[in-house]
Amino acid sequence: MRFRLLAASLTAGWVSLAAPAAEAFCGFYVGKADTSLFNEASQVVLVRDGERTVVTMSNDYKGALTDFALVVPVPVVLKREQLHVGERKYIERLDAYSAPRLVEYFDEDPCAERMVVLQESLPAAVPAGAGMDAVRRKSLGVTVEAQYTVGEYDILILSAKESEGLETWLRESGYKIPPKAAKALAPYIKQDMKFFVAKVNLKVQKATGFNYLRPLQMAYESKKFMLPIRLGMANARGPQDLVIYAMTRQGRVESSNYRTVKVPSDMDIPVFVKDEFKQFYPALFEKAHEREEKRALFTEYVWDMGWCDPCAADPLSPEELRNLGVFWLDEQNPNGMGGGSQVVLTRLHARYDGEHFPEDLVFQVTNDRQNFQARYVLRHAFKGPLECEAGQRYLTELDKRHQREAETLANLTGWELGTITKKMGDDAPGKKTGGSKPQEPWYKRLWK
């Protein structure tokens, strides 16, 4: 079997093998399923080490900036130095690097000796609401703990005694929040959490020159390693897609209050999916989501960020990782990652609603550093003449393989088997492949 690798940093040598080559975690990357396939998918980057957390919140808000309001429960009152405005491009890099992907292999001529390539290895503006009469705030039980202007955002850190009072205060201060927000705010007040509230400073935003809102970042210390999602459901019309990029130096990240399962991966599927990957992966995810009764998070990628195989995009540089909040790189290896092992990335995908995810997401860091990726394998049949006994055996096994690929695709996506086999064309089970034509005896071609 011939396969192509995308691992330019590795050295190669030629070795002749008598036995079939064991397939490493490799293949030729041919496509990926990034977050653009999921409508309005939110993206959050979590960097965690010990009790230190850095959160980067992607912002794809598309409405009028005057209507924008962000309310996020936070465990502590944040100082100005703990807030930052990041750049969207680094989240896009993480998305590209960790996205589910296709790889392809090409069958060797079964009649030829097998040869395999081995790879070795400004002054702060006054935020909205700040001018509200102190007596009014006190009557509502709301306290402005701090206020800052960070980039294009006016930010308040609030504490509150009652959720109804906080909801009223936010509305009277001009924040457009969902109806009945008090119900969603109440659990956080009981936990004595604070509220990070942001609005867009239109004057500053115009001066930035950006035609979009940049990600907000916050850094803090807390025993709580969690992501509040209930506020986001207050105005949701249906299930929400959320992609979480968690980076630690210890190992994989999983939820401690919801099941975390690996998305189905490493399966052979028909080669026509190469042209329909944008339909394939959302269908697969939906099917997997239903199988887990809509109550699980899916792991799509776990990898040491020093390398990748195959690479859907190059690993992030140390500078890019620092911009996303990976603070320990400066402590250990200021010159770079030097082969990785300092950052483990976990990509989690959740589709949640209030019925199936009644609690916020709570996480834990594990010691598991085993690599995993959502990848799907396309195997191209050998198309040349087959004039040996091994070639005929190959054709028999090839037909069985195509049958398995069709059934696997139907099982993964819920697509009709008949539709799948029709799309497979000459690869459909029971049909002849390009190399399956019966061969004439050699002597009949001798004097033609």
Side-chain angles (χ1 to χ4, degrees), residues 110 126 137 145 188 261 300 349 360 411 425:
V126 179
R137 286 202 304 267
E145 302 283 358
Y188 303 107
V261 299
E300 293 183 326
H349 188 161
D360 291 322
N411 185 51

Side-chain angles (χ1 to χ4, degrees), residues 133-171:
D133 185 80
V135 176
R136 178 58 172 159
R137 286 202 304 267
K138 187 175 180 180
S139 68
L140 295 171
V142 176
T143 301
V144 177
E145 302 283 358
Q147 58 188 51
Y148 317 106
T149 292
V150 182
E152 60 266 46
Y153 298 98
D154 288 339
I155 294 169
L156 299 177
I157 310 296
L158 305 177
S159 61
K161 294 180 179 178
E162 296 181 359
S163 56
E164 289 82 4
L166 179 56
E167 179 179 359
T168 301
W169 187 92
L170 288 168
R171 293 190 191 287

Side-chain angles (χ1 to χ4, degrees), residues 270 272 402-407 409-410 415-431:
F272 79 84
H402 286 156
Q403 181 67 42
R404 291 194 298 271
E405 291 174 352
E407 292 172 354
L409 182 59
W415 293 350
E416 293 290 337
L417 188 58
T419 303
I420 292 172
T421 54
K422 186 177 181 180
K423 289 185 176 182
M424 290 175 72
D426 287 342
D427 285 345
K431 285 194 173 184

Side-chain angles (χ1 to χ4, degrees), residues 198-448:
K199 289 188 71 173
V200 177
N201 185 312
L202 299 176
K203 183 177 179 180
V204 176
Q205 199 277 332
K206 185 177 181 179
T208 64
F210 292 103
N211 57 6
Y212 59 86
L213 295 178
R214 293 176 292 171
L216 273 165
Q217 297 180 290
M218 57 181 75
Y220 56 84
E221 293 188 23
S222 174
K223 293 181 179 179
K224 296 178 180 177
F225 184 25
M226 54 87 74
L227 194 62
I229 60 174
R230 284 174 290 181
L231 280 182
M233 290 187 279
N235 61 341
R237 298 177 181 176
Q240 310 280 298
D241 277 291
L242 171 64
V243 176
I244 303 157
Y245 310 95
M247 291 187 282
T248 74
R249 55 178 159 185
Q250 182 177 327
R252 180 177 58 83
V253 170
E254 63 184 16
S255 174
S256 60
N257 61 335
Y258 293 103
R259 282 183 295 115
T260 305
V261 299
K262 292 178 179 176
V263 72
S265 177
D266 269 331
M267 296 174 176
D268 293 0
I269 55 176
V271 295
F272 79 84
V273 176
K274 183 175 182 178
D275 296 325
E276 299 189 14
F277 195 40
K278 291 184 177 181
Q279 292 78 37
F280 162 73
Y281 189 74
L284 178 151
F285 186 86
E286 174 65 24
K287 194 73 176 177
H289 178 60
E290 291 175 354
R291 284 178 177 144
E292 297 296 331
E293 301 178 337
K294 304 181 180 181
R295 298 180 184 278
L297 282 79
F298 290 89
T299 302
E300 293 183 326
Y301 195 80
V302 180
W303 213 273
D304 180 317
M305 293 206 67
W307 64 297
C308 50
D309 180 21
C311 296
D314 290 337
L316 276 69
S317 69
E319 181 181 358
E320 290 174 315
L321 292 171
R322 288 188 189 95
N323 276 286
L324 286 167
V326 184
F327 53 87
W328 58 85
L329 293 180
D330 294 328
E331 300 169 0
Q332 289 191 334
N333 186 5
N335 296 320
M337 292 187 291
S341 80
Q342 296 188 55
V343 184
V344 176
L345 169 66
T346 305
R347 175 180 174 127
L348 299 170
H349 188 161
R351 179 168 292 170
Y352 63 92
D353 57 31
E355 178 183 353
H356 302 94
F357 283 78
E359 300 176 357
D360 291 322
L361 299 175
V362 182
F363 301 104
Q364 60 187 11
V365 181
T366 74
N367 291 318
D368 180 13
R369 300 176 67 93
Q370 186 173 2
N371 294 330
F372 172 80
Q373 60 180 309
R375 71 164 201 160
Y376 308 94
V377 182
L378 311 178
R379 299 185 186 278
H380 297 267
F382 178 72
K383 300 294 184 181
L386 299 169
E387 298 181 341
C388 66
E389 188 176 336
Q392 298 309 307
R393 292 198 300 272
Y394 167 77
L395 288 175
T396 301
E397 293 303 317
L398 181 63
D399 194 62
K400 295 177 181 177
R401 190 177 88 191
H402 286 156
Q403 181 67 42
R404 291 194 298 271
E405 291 174 352
E407 292 172 354
T408 297
L409 182 59
N411 185 51
L412 286 174
T413 60
W415 293 350
E416 293 290 337
L417 188 58
T419 303
I420 292 172
T421 54
K422 186 177 181 180
K423 289 185 176 182
M424 290 175 72
D426 287 342
D427 285 345
K431 285 194 173 184
K432 297 176 181 177
T433 64
S436 65
K437 296 179 180 177
Q439 299 297 311
E440 292 181 328
W442 65 273
Y443 48 82
K444 287 190 175 182
R445 303 193 303 273
L446 183 58
W447 291 292
K448 285 184 177 179

